Amino acid sequence: MANLVYKRVSTDQQSTARQDLVLDEASIEDPVVFEEDPGTSSRLHPLQRPKFRALLDYARPGDTVHISEMFRLVRGNQHILDVLDVLHRDRLALRIHDGAFSAMDLTARHPRTGELLSTVKFMVQTLAAAGELQRDLQRELTYDGLRAAEAKGSKGGRRPAVAAAHTADVRTAYLEGRSIAALARDHRVSRGAIRTAVADLLPDHTANEEDAPAPELPTTLDMPGKVADHLRTTELEPAERAALDHGVTVRRGQGYTLRVTAAPAVHRRLLARCQPLDGGQGLPAVPAQRKARREYENRVNTLTP
């Protein structure tokens, strides 16, 4: 049975030193480490993160996933429940070594129904909500502190690496042909600091860079089982097939829904491929399938374009 260690930091300015300390103290035997690239956002669904997906692909039934604390892996309630469903499906254990969740068996299931114990589900939701409240309060206090500092004439943010008194000299030297590397040596700063000072003078600078649309974040939607069954027999693009393959099955009475996490554009493409369920082109319309497609359509339509 393998011990699989997962690490993540939210920005490229952070390190895993604290996680390393906690995990080293746990004396994990023969750990196989999966560490996300620095700056992997906590807003990205865990099942969409490259290294966590690699961990799940590597894992075998009976393996244990180790994390220093719960919020290295998940942030919101739904993310936690989604991950626990996948761990249960793949028969993997979860060991959290620090924080409020460290004393809990989050993979405990009812012996007859196989569903997550209601007490575990309640505690997960309560502790996750408390964590979100703490982060919201920290953001509010930070905002109030910045406003108070601005009222006294202070300005937030990092100080420029090139002193304001030297910025004009740097720009003039750059226009006269001085290279970025040479200017960095002259002023004893990084090349990035010089590029920032002369950003609007660079050949590839475009005025509309800041107006570029932000990338769509993955969104989790419940797809009716009849829709999922149809899509599994349909030719899909790689991104669509990956979203479907990584979906989490949730039993609903005699049927099921597939909890799919994907960018809104992928959800819309999957919906478009369900059009045959409404009948037409010589195919009969099955009321249950048509109803399932419309349920999925209503959920997709709630996504922001």
Side-chain angles (χ1 to χ4, degrees), residues 7 18 24 57 72 79 93 96 135 143 148 156 202 204 228 231 234 236 266 273 290 305:
K7 302 179 186 179
R18 183 179 179 279
D24 288 345
D57 291 338
R72 291 298 101 203
H79 286 190
I96 304 167
R135 291 192 301 276
Y143 176 73
L202 295 174
D204 58 349
L231 290 172
T234 303
L236 302 176
V266 174
R273 298 188 188 279
R290 182 168 55 189

Side-chain angles (χ1 to χ4, degrees), residues 26-44:
S27 300
I28 300 170
E29 184 178 355
D30 298 326
V32 181
V33 179
F34 295 82
E35 183 175 338
E36 298 287 358
D37 290 338
T40 301
S41 173
S42 60
R43 291 180 295 178
L44 182 63

Side-chain angles (χ1 to χ4, degrees), residues 4-153:
L4 313 179
V5 173
Y6 178 76
K7 302 179 186 179
R8 182 190 64 82
V9 291
S10 299
T11 73
D12 56 10
Q13 303 299 316
Q14 296 175 321
S15 76
T16 60
R18 183 179 179 279
Q19 297 174 64
D20 294 338
L21 177 62
V22 172
L23 295 168
D24 288 345
E25 290 177 346
S27 300
I28 300 170
E29 184 178 355
D30 298 326
V32 181
V33 179
F34 295 82
E35 183 175 338
E36 298 287 358
D37 290 338
T40 301
S41 173
S42 60
R43 291 180 295 178
L44 182 63
H45 196 289
L47 300 180
Q48 295 295 314
R49 297 178 195 154
K51 292 302 182 182
F52 189 64
R53 289 174 58 176
L55 181 151
L56 294 176
D57 291 338
Y58 180 91
R60 296 294 179 267
D63 290 351
T64 301
V65 179
H66 297 265
I67 53 177
S68 61
E69 57 183 346
M70 176 60 87
F71 296 123
R72 291 298 101 203
L73 178 59
V74 293
R75 285 291 183 180
N77 290 345
Q78 194 56 59
H79 286 190
I80 295 176
L81 297 177
D82 288 346
V83 168
L84 292 180
D85 280 341
V86 170
L87 295 180
H88 174 66
R89 180 197 68 191
D90 295 344
R91 288 182 288 168
L92 303 175
L94 176 64
R95 182 73 175 88
I96 304 167
H97 294 276
D98 195 20
F101 292 95
S102 59
M104 298 174 58
D105 179 8
L106 299 181
T107 56
R109 300 271 167 168
H110 193 282
R112 288 183 294 277
T113 66
E115 295 181 352
L116 194 67
L117 286 178
S118 57
T119 51
V120 172
K121 191 173 183 179
F122 172 76
M123 289 301 297
V124 166
Q125 293 173 332
T126 301
L127 291 173
E132 290 177 358
L133 174 62
Q134 180 184 18
R135 291 192 301 276
D136 289 341
L137 289 173
Q138 288 174 339
R139 281 195 293 268
E140 291 174 4
L141 291 172
T142 299
Y143 176 73
D144 290 342
L146 289 173
R147 289 192 62 189
E150 288 175 359
K152 295 180 179 179

